[in-house]
């Protein structure tokens, strides 16, 4: 009799344990459905937010109009469903500004910073958003009925105006390994344009050449073939007025008819010699600095004043580079490296 009672007790305890385990499994199954749904919604929100940021930055690059860019971002978001409906953005969800490089090499968005090249979109499905929080299926049984994801996406439009400022003084007729220095420069400029076409075709170029005097050969243009053709016509002559040339290049970035308000401004200043007429570039670079322009400097050959040109790029800051080229091959690589630095930046 006692043995039979013990068996019944064990069966009763087992039934309780099975019931408990079934409840746990049911709870797990319930939560797994909602967790999977939450992951899906977050992925949809990421897609919608990224699409909006990219659309806004593309429109900004193309039109230079913040209102048009904001409308493009809002429209792109609405075309992407999040939890079964297109994502609705308000005007305050689309911000405009610039990018700063942090000490760890990351790009940080800064609202309102000039030039305006970056768009940040906040994709929200919380209670305060137009679409409201996402309703869950089963979690409401355990007092949690909503999911409120918020994701940011930032895209930086590659809007850049570049002034090529090139030395065509008499020393450019010197030999540079089987060709003249000027011939080496022409090859380097062609390589520079090839990189621009491949990585940042929205870039515009102006062209300034200098010897005793500085001449603006081309205003800002997106006709890269015209830049190639004009550069190929240069002949070496005269002295080296680096300071005056720097001023002409800087002026083109703000005064040319096609200069863009929201474009980042960059000067590429190349020389093979020593400044020897007119104001020093260490003086005239102050104009470029006041205008917020980058100044990349390239020195070519053993006669070039590397110290002076390094001081010019260091004074300009803002990621400005100085590169020295010993020969024509190095010169081509220097121009390629600078062209690559102008490519699109996408963050977040």
């Amino acid at each position: 009799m006692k043995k039979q009672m013990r068996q019944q007790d064990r069966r009763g305890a087992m039934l309780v344990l099975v019931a408990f385990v079934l409840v746990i499994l049911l709870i797990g199954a319930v939560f797994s459905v909602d967790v999977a749904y939450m992951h899906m919604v977050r992925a949809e929100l990421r897609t919608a937010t990224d699409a909006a940021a990219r659309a806004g930055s593309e429109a900004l690059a193309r039109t230079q109009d913040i209102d048009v860019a904001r409308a493009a971002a809002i429209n792109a978001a609405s075309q992407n469903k999040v939890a079964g409906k297109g994502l609705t953005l308000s005007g305050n969800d689309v911000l405009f500004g610039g990018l700063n490089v942090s000490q760890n090499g990351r790009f940080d968005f800064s609202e309102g910073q000039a030039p305006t090249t970056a768009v940040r979109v906040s994709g929200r499905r919380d209670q305060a958003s137009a679409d409201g929080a996402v309703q869950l299926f089963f979690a409401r049984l355990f007092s949690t009925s909503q999911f409120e994801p918020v994701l940011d996406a930032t895209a930086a439009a590659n809007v850049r105006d570049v002034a090529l400022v090139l030395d065509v003084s008499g020393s450019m007729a010197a030999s540079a390994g089987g060709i003249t220095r000027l011939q080496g420069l022409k090859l380097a400029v062609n390589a520079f344009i090839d990189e621009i076409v491949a990585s940042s075709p929205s870039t515009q170029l102006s062209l300034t050449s200098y010897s005793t005097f500085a001449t603006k050969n081309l205003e800002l243009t997106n006709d890269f073939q015209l830049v190639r053709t004009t550069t190929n016509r240069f002949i070496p002559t005269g002295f080296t007025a680096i300071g005056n040339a720097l001023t002409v290049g800087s002026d083109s970035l703000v005064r040319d008819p096609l200069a863009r308000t929201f474009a980042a401004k960059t000067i590429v200043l190349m020389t093979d010699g020593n400044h020897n007429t007119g104001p020093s570039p260490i003086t005239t670079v102050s104009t470029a600095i006041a205008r917020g322009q980058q100044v990349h400097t390239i020195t070519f050959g053993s006669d070039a004043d590397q110290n002076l040109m390094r001081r010019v790029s260091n004074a300009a800051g803002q990621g400005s580079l100085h590169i020295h080229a010993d020969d024509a091959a190095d010169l081509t690589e220097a121009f390629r490296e600078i062209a690559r630095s102008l490519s699109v930046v996408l963050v977040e």
Side-chain angles (χ1 to χ4, degrees):
M1 184 69 175
K2 291 182 178 180
K3 182 177 180 181
Q4 186 177 6
M5 291 179 63
R6 285 197 298 269
Q7 289 176 341
Q8 290 176 345
D9 289 343
R10 283 196 294 270
R11 283 196 295 269
M14 185 62 68
L15 288 174
V16 172
L17 178 60
V18 169
F20 178 75
V21 171
L22 287 175
V23 171
I24 296 298
L25 290 175
L26 178 60
I27 292 173
V30 165
F31 274 110
S32 67
V33 171
D34 277 340
V35 168
Y37 183 59
M38 290 163 67
H39 280 298
M40 184 192 75
V41 169
R42 185 177 289 275
E44 290 177 338
L45 184 60
R46 169 54 65 198
T47 298
T49 306
D50 286 351
R54 290 175 181 272
S57 66
E58 185 280 329
L60 181 65
R62 178 169 42 83
T63 69
Q64 297 286 280
D65 189 315
I66 284 178
D67 291 334
V68 172
R70 179 177 284 109
I74 292 173
N75 180 65
S78 71
Q79 303 303 311
N80 288 268
K81 290 187 177 181
V82 179
K85 61 187 301 186
L87 179 64
T88 304
L89 298 179
S90 70
N92 292 333
D93 292 327
V94 186
L95 304 178
F96 295 86
L99 296 177
N100 294 311
V101 182
S102 63
Q103 291 183 345
N104 61 9
R106 291 173 57 93
F107 288 94
D108 296 324
F109 175 79
S110 179
E111 183 182 359
Q113 176 178 300
T116 304
T117 58
V119 180
R120 167 170 281 182
V121 173
S122 292
R124 300 183 298 118
R125 282 298 307 267
D126 55 16
Q127 290 185 355
S129 67
D131 297 325
V134 178
Q135 299 299 314
L136 299 176
F137 297 108
F138 302 109
R140 68 188 64 187
L141 299 175
F142 305 95
S143 74
T144 301
S145 62
Q146 295 180 332
F147 175 48
E148 300 184 86
V150 177
L151 293 174
D152 292 330
T154 302
N158 183 30
V159 185
R160 191 175 294 270
D161 291 342
V162 178
L164 286 175
V165 183
L166 308 178
D167 187 345
V168 295
S169 60
S171 59
M172 290 293 288
S175 176
I179 59 175
T180 67
R181 291 178 182 173
L182 186 56
Q183 288 171 327
L185 174 61
K186 293 174 181 179
L187 293 173
V189 169
N190 274 290
F192 176 84
I193 294 174
D194 288 341
E195 289 286 346
I196 292 294
V197 170
S199 62
S200 51
S202 64
T203 295
Q204 294 186 146
L205 302 176
S206 71
L207 183 61
T208 297
S209 62
Y210 68 96
S211 54
T212 305
F213 305 100
T215 301
K216 183 163 67 174
N217 307 95
L218 292 173
E219 294 179 333
L220 282 167
T221 179
N222 56 13
D223 186 344
F224 299 137
Q225 185 55 45
L226 181 60
V227 179
R228 297 181 198 266
T229 301
T230 304
T231 302
N232 286 333
R233 296 195 188 110
F234 290 157
I235 57 174
T237 183
F239 295 103
T240 311
I242 302 175
N244 283 334
L246 178 56
T247 298
V248 173
S250 176
D251 287 346
S252 78
L253 296 179
V254 295
R255 297 179 181 173
D256 284 1
L258 295 183
R260 295 173 290 186
T261 303
F262 298 140
K265 310 291 186 176
T266 299
I267 300 169
V268 181
L269 175 63
M270 171 270 162
T271 185
D272 78 323
N274 290 269
H275 168 76
N276 53 28
T277 186
S280 169
I282 202 63
T283 299
T284 60
V285 74
S286 60
T287 299
I289 294 170
R291 291 168 169 168
Q293 299 168 348
Q294 273 186 328
V295 183
H296 299 313
T297 59
I298 300 175
T299 48
F300 180 25
S302 58
D303 300 328
D305 191 341
Q306 296 183 49
N307 180 58
L308 175 62
M309 301 305 281
R310 187 177 293 108
R311 288 172 59 202
V312 169
S313 62
N314 287 344
Q318 304 184 76
S320 298
L321 303 174
H322 168 74
I323 304 175
H324 178 70
D326 288 317
D327 53 31
D330 286 348
L331 185 64
T332 292
E333 186 54 36
F335 271 91
R336 280 184 176 143
E337 180 176 342
I338 288 174
R340 294 186 199 111
S341 75
L342 308 179
S343 61
V344 175
V345 176
L346 296 175
V347 296
E348 288 189 318

